[in-house]
Amino acid sequence: MISIVVVDDQELVRTGLRALAERDGDIAVVGEAANGRTGLARVRELHPDVVLMDIRMPELDGLEATRRIVADPALGDVRVLVLTTFDEDEHVFEAIRAGAAGYLLKDVSPADLRRAIRVVAAGDALLAPSVTRTVLGSIAARPETVLDDTPLRVLSDREREVLEQVGRGLSNDEIAQALFLSPATARTYVSRLLAKLGARDRSQLVVLAYETGLISPGR
């Protein structure tokens, strides 16, 4: 059973997410909160597998609550899925930088909601939707963005190639196919990238790929 906490300032949204998430019987909402401060307390109390986190909330917003969850060693296995709308692209980018495993649009279908919860509960990042690459690419393309490839200097040429594919949103199997590797070897490379770059998950690898200029919009 996957346990989740829903943090959103709208009671109707929390009620709807509970009903949708619990439909198949393998996901249980163990707690709710109407703001980030209370949500953080509930997460520390209940230690869920996944947190569904809204961004705009009173007292403590979802970005800061996400940062605090990620920074707490006692919550190292808690995964955060940020809830957002299309007009919050920059907030989504900041949430991923803060350590969120991914994000969902608030109009997500019931099936996709449950799939997303299962994906991040299993330790993966929700990066498949093309909108993720659009968000990160549009921000990386801004003139004020300062690119620094220093973190990449510890990587081999092959590791850079794998990171580039991760930055494009490819899964391990897709990376294996693109680079003529076995799926097991692709997984090994991704694990090595996480360790070498000090990244929490694939979401942060994507951010690094854009911030270092390895990936640029349109490539």
Side-chain angles (χ1 to χ4, degrees):
M1 181 72 70
I2 299 171
S3 60
I4 68 173
V5 166
V6 178
V7 185
D8 193 291
D9 62 341
Q10 298 183 44
E11 182 177 1
L12 184 61
V13 172
R14 297 197 306 272
T15 300
L17 289 171
R18 174 188 287 272
L20 296 177
E22 294 185 332
R23 183 173 299 177
D24 290 346
D26 63 330
I27 298 170
V29 176
V30 296
E32 297 181 10
N35 61 66
R37 192 174 304 282
T38 303
L40 185 59
R42 293 293 280 163
V43 170
R44 287 171 172 161
E45 172 193 357
L46 299 168
H47 205 106
D49 299 307
V50 177
V51 181
L52 296 183
M53 181 76 74
D54 189 21
I55 291 179
R56 298 175 180 171
M57 292 182 293
E59 295 192 36
L60 188 72
D61 66 31
L63 295 177
E64 183 59 28
T66 297
R67 292 187 189 100
R68 296 187 188 186
I69 290 171
V70 172
D72 189 338
L75 302 177
D77 56 348
V78 175
R79 311 282 287 173
V80 179
L81 267 176
V82 170
L83 297 167
T84 187
T85 57
F86 273 119
D87 64 350
E88 294 175 324
D89 288 355
E90 188 167 1
H91 292 308
V92 173
F93 180 76
E94 291 301 322
I96 293 174
R97 290 186 64 184
Y103 72 93
L104 297 174
L105 299 176
K106 284 191 173 181
D107 60 356
V108 65
S109 72
D112 284 344
L113 170 67
R114 293 188 292 273
R115 181 185 66 84
I117 292 170
R118 295 181 187 115
V119 165
V120 299
D124 294 322
L126 192 70
L127 293 175
S130 60
V131 66
T132 303
R133 297 191 292 275
T134 301
V135 167
L136 297 177
S138 65
I139 293 172
R142 293 176 181 175
E144 64 269 22
T145 300
V146 178
L147 302 178
D148 179 10
D149 68 352
T150 301
L152 302 185
R153 295 175 187 174
V154 300
L155 303 181
S156 67
D157 290 343
R158 194 54 154 175
E159 287 166 346
R160 284 180 179 238
E161 290 177 344
V162 173
L163 179 59
E164 183 177 349
Q165 302 305 316
V166 173
R168 291 174 174 168
L170 272 63
S171 67
N172 288 342
D173 287 345
E174 290 169 336
I175 292 171
Q177 184 175 10
L179 299 181
F180 304 100
L181 303 171
S182 70
T185 299
R187 287 193 297 272
T188 298
Y189 270 114
V190 172
S191 297
R192 192 178 300 164
L193 288 170
L194 291 169
K196 281 192 171 186
L197 298 173
R200 175 184 171 95
D201 54 30
R202 295 175 78 100
S203 298
Q204 292 192 332
L205 289 181
V206 172
V207 172
L208 275 168
Y210 279 93
E211 288 186 329
T212 58
L214 184 64
I215 287 287
S216 59
R219 284 185 55 193

